[in-house]
Amino acid sequence: MATHPASLTARLSFLMTALTSLTAVAGEVPGTVHPELWPAAAHGRLSRPEVERLVDGLLARMSLEEKVGQMVQGDIDSIRPADLATYPLGSILAGGNAAPNGDIHSSPQAWLDLIDDFYEASAARPAKHRPIPVLFGIDAVHGHAHVVDTTIFPHNVGLGAMHDPALIEKIGRATAEEVAATGIDWTFAPTVAVVRDVRWGRSYESYSEDPAEVALYAPAMVTGLQGAIGTQDFMAPGHTLASAKHFLGDGGTVDGRDQGNNLSPESELARVHGAGYPPAIAAGVLTVMASYNAWQGVKMHANHGLITDVLKGRMGFDGFVIGDWNAQEEIPGCTKGDCPAAILAGLDMVMAADSWKEMYETLLAAARAGRIPMARIDDAVRRILRVKALAGLFERPSPKARPGAGDFAALGSPEHRALARQAVRESLVLLKNDKGVLPLDPRAHLLVAGDFADDVGAQAGGWTLDWQGNHNSNADLPAATSIFAGIRDAVARAGGTAVLSPDGSYTSRPDAAIVVFGEGPYAEFQGDRETVELSPGDRHELALLRRLRAAGIPIVSVFLSGRPLWVNPELDASDAFVAAWLPGSEGGGVADLLFKGVDGKPRYDFTGRLAFSWPATGMPVTYDGDRPQGALFPRGYGLADGTSGTVGPLDENSHLAADRGAPGTLFQSGHVTAPWSIYVSDAKAEVRLTMPSQPSPEGAVTVALGKDGFTGEWPGGHDGVLRIGGRPADLHAAAAEGMAVTLRYRIDAPPAAPVRLAALCGKRCAGAVDVTAALKAAPVGAWRTLSVGLGCFAAKGADLSQVEAPMALETSGRFAITVADIRLAREEGACQGPS
Ligand code: BGC
Ligand code: BGC
C-alpha cells in the first residue's frame, strides 16, 4: 500500500518527537519540571490598571540601589530604623525570637512604636518619586500569638479537625484585626503543607493529610486575612497580607525531616503538596513563601522550574515570592549574604534576616555586573510594588495613624475569644468513650491531673511569644485560660468541685479524673521525631493513668499534641480519650465539651473529626496515593457524645525495632536521629545539613552522609567545626550517672593539626577535650570507639545545664573521619573528669 509522502514525513516526525521526549524523560535530570503537569490558571486576579500605572511610574524613577533594596528583608534583631537611611530595604520582619528591645513581653504599644519608626524611616528616604514604605511582617500563625495579651487560636492541626471553612475565615479576619491593631502589614500564614509524615515537627502547622481539605481551608484563611478578592473589603483597613507557605513540598520530606528532601514524583508533588496553592491564588493571596526543603535534590530556593515556570507562570501568581529565613544559605554556591541563584530562580524578596547588609551589597554588585538581568530585577520589584499598592501602603498614613491601629481593645477582645473558644469546641476529637463516661456531671467531685492540666504554654504550643514556645508559663500568658481553670469555672457554676493535682495524688476520692498530658511545645526541626511513640523514655503519665484506673476511678484523658501519636497504652488506660491538639488561649472550650448541663443534657456535642489518620504503631501511617496504610483510627473518625462504642483493648506493642528512637542516640544507622541535626561552620557562618552533603560557608569542613555513617572532611587551612545539636538540654543528671559521649568512628585521613571534641552550651560556652592523640593512634580505615565523659567537658568549662551540642569536632588541619554512631551512654573507662 502506497503511503502519501507528506503523511509519512508527518508520522516520522511525530515518531521522532515521541522518541526524543521519551529519552528526555528517561535520561532526565532529577528535579526537571514539566509545567504542563500542573493546574493552569489565568493571570490577572491582582491586576488593576491604576496600580500598574503607579508601579510603572515608580519603576521609571527608581535607582538600581532602590530597586535592589526592595528585594531585601531584614529582621528587627539586626536592623534599626536609622539603617533604612543608608540601606533602602523593602521590608522588615520580626522573626520568631525577635521583639522590640529584645523583650518578648513587650507591650503592644512598644510594637506599634517600633513599626511606626521603621515606617517613618522608610518614608523619609529622599527620592525622585513618592516614598515607598516598608512592609512589616510577622508570624501570626495561630492568632497574633507573638505579641502578649492577644487571642491565641488553635494551631492548624486543630482547625483542620473542625472541617468548618467558614469559621477558619472568621479566625483569619480576627487575626488580621489584631495584627493591624499593632500596625503590622503582613503575616506569614497560612501554611498549606499537606503533611505525609507526622514525625515532621511542623505537622501542627498543617490542616490535613488530605489535599482536598487543605485546598478548602487555605483560601478560607487567605480570605479572612486579606478580605474577599474582587470586593471593597479586599485589603481594606483591618486586613493583613497573607503568605501561602512553604512552596513547595514541605510536608513530604523523607522521614518527615524539617527542610529535607521531597522525593515525590512530579505528578504527586502537584496533586498532593501543591493542592493549596491554586485555590489560595484564586483567593488573591498576595505573597507566597518559598520553602527550605528540596525537591528531588534541588533546594526550592534554587528551583526555577517550580518558582518561575509553575508558580508564576502556569498557576498565574502575580504577587511576590518571599524567601524563608536565611534559606538561601543552603543552596550550593551561596552564603546567607550572597545568593544571586535564588533571585535567578525567581525569588523576589530574600529573607536575609541577619545578613541583609551583605545581601543588599552582593545583589547590587551582581546586578551591576549583569549577573542578574535587569529584567529579572524589574519583575521582582514590580511584583513587590504591586503588592504594596494593593495593600494600600501608598495611601495609608503611618501605622500609628491608621484606623484600628492602637486599638488594643481588639487584642484578645471578647468577640475574638468567643471565636477561639468555638474553634476549640469544634476541633476536639473524641477517640474513645467507653460506657459513655462523657459528658461528665458538673456537680461531681473531680480530680484534674497531668502535667498540662494547668499549663497554658503547653496548650499554645510553638510560635507563641517566641519561636519554639517552650518557655511559657501561665504568668507569661496572663490573658489565657488553662484547661483546669475552664473546668473549675464550669463545675463551680453547677455546684461541683475540681481539685488540681498534676501528679494525681488525692485525699478525698474523686468521682472521676480528668488527666491532661501530651507533647510539650516545639517548632521547626527541634520538634522532629524519630518515631510517633509519645514518650519512649518517660512513662510517668501512663503510670498515673494506670494508678487511677487500678483505684477504679473513671478516667477522661485530654491529650495535647501537635499531631496524632501512638498512645495505645494510654488509650487502654483511659475510659474516654480526647485529642485536643494545641487549643491555644481558650482552655474553657475544653470544659464546654466535657460536661453536660445541670439538666443532664449535653451542652455541646463533639463535632471534630480527624483530619490526620491516627497511627496504629510507633511508626507513622504511610500512603498509597491518598489512601493511608496502618491507621488505628482513619481520617474522618471521631465519636459524638452519647456514642459509647468500645475501643480496645488495643495492641500495646509499638512494633518498633528495639533500638529505634532509643533515648540518647544522636546518630545511628546512617542518619542523624531526630530531633538532632548536624551543623558545619567556619569563620563565616554555620549551616545545617539538610541534604546528603553540606560544606560550611567557606568550605573549611564538609559533611556527607554515606552508607557507613557521616564523613567529616577538613581540607586544612581554615578552622572548621562539625557539630550535632538540638534544643538545649540539662545533662547534669546524665553526668552524675557517669554518662559519656561515645562515637564509633573510622579515620579516613589522620589529623594534621590538633582535633578537639567539645560540648557546646551557647554562643561563648564550651568545654573542649583534646582528642588528637587518640585519633592519631587509630589506624586509618579501622573502626574504633572514643568515649568522653560528660564530666570531662564540664571540667573544661561546659555548662551542663544547657548543652545544645553534646558533640562538636573542631580542627584547622587536614583531617577526615567517618562516624557510624554516636550516643550518650554509660561507658566504662571513658574520661570521667574530676569527681
Ligand atoms: C519559617 C517560616 C517563618 C520564618 C519567619 C522560618 O524559619 O520556616 O515559616 O515564616 O521563619 O519567622
Ligand atoms: C527565628 C525564626 C526563624 C528560625 C529559623 C529563629 O531564630 O527567630 O523566625 O524561623 O530562626 O531557623
Side-chain angles (χ1 to χ4, degrees), residues 437-500:
V437 54
L438 284 179
L440 295 163
D441 186 337
R443 290 162 305 191
H445 172 50
L446 296 160
L447 177 72
V448 186
D451 289 349
F452 297 157
D454 191 33
D455 186 338
V456 292
Q459 279 167 225
W463 297 108
T464 304
L465 295 191
D466 70 5
W467 182 39
Q468 297 284 326
N470 57 337
H471 299 294
N472 297 324
S473 69
N474 289 3
D476 291 309
L477 298 164
T481 305
S482 76
I483 292 175
F484 167 70
I487 293 171
R488 187 193 51 206
D489 294 352
V491 299
R493 260 181 276 125
T497 51
V499 176
L500 176 67

Side-chain angles (χ1 to χ4, degrees), residues 73 75 93-97 137-141 187-189 191 200 202 205 243 245-246 250 258-259 289-292 323-327 351 353 463 467 524-525:
Q73 185 186 52
D75 174 79
L93 92 148
N97 288 326
I138 198 165
D139 290 285
V141 298
T187 170
F188 307 125
T191 294
W200 187 35
R202 305 191 75 170
E205 299 185 52
S243 260
K245 72 185 189 184
H246 309 80
D250 48 354
D258 192 40
Q259 311 185 356
M289 188 184 288
S291 191
Y292 275 116
D324 204 345
W325 181 279
N326 285 342
M351 193 183 281
W463 297 108
W467 182 39
E524 294 170 70
F525 50 85

Side-chain angles (χ1 to χ4, degrees), residues 71-230:
M71 299 167 67
V72 180
Q73 185 186 52
D75 174 79
I76 57 167
D77 252 1
S78 53
I79 190 164
R80 290 163 306 128
D83 291 321
L84 292 180
T86 325
Y87 298 90
L89 300 202
S91 179
I92 303 290
L93 92 148
N97 288 326
N101 310 311
D103 175 11
I104 57 161
H105 297 102
S106 287
S107 66
Q109 185 65 49
W111 280 95
L112 181 55
D113 290 345
L114 180 70
I115 287 143
D116 204 71
D117 287 348
F118 275 111
Y119 174 96
E120 291 294 358
S122 67
R125 293 185 283 225
K128 296 206 175 74
H129 46 77
R130 68 165 86 189
I132 305 177
V134 284
L135 260 186
F136 195 103
I138 198 165
D139 290 285
V141 298
H142 60 140
H144 195 15
H146 198 32
V147 175
V148 289
D149 294 339
T150 55
T151 312
I152 305 174
F153 292 94
H155 268 296
N156 288 353
V157 66
L159 301 192
M162 306 190 306
H163 303 278
D164 186 350
L167 183 54
I168 291 182
E169 185 177 327
K170 288 185 193 154
I171 290 172
R173 172 173 271 276
T175 302
E177 276 166 20
E178 299 203 11
V179 168
T182 53
I184 296 175
D185 307 294
W186 180 14
T187 170
F188 307 125
T191 294
V192 302
V194 176
V195 176
R196 287 298 170 93
D197 188 327
V198 295
R199 288 178 295 172
W200 187 35
R202 305 191 75 170
S203 296
Y204 65 79
E205 299 185 52
S206 164
Y207 296 116
S208 175
E209 69 186 9
D210 179 16
E213 291 190 40
V214 172
L216 271 179
Y217 309 149
M221 184 55 92
V222 169
T223 302
L225 292 167
Q226 297 190 158
I229 182 88

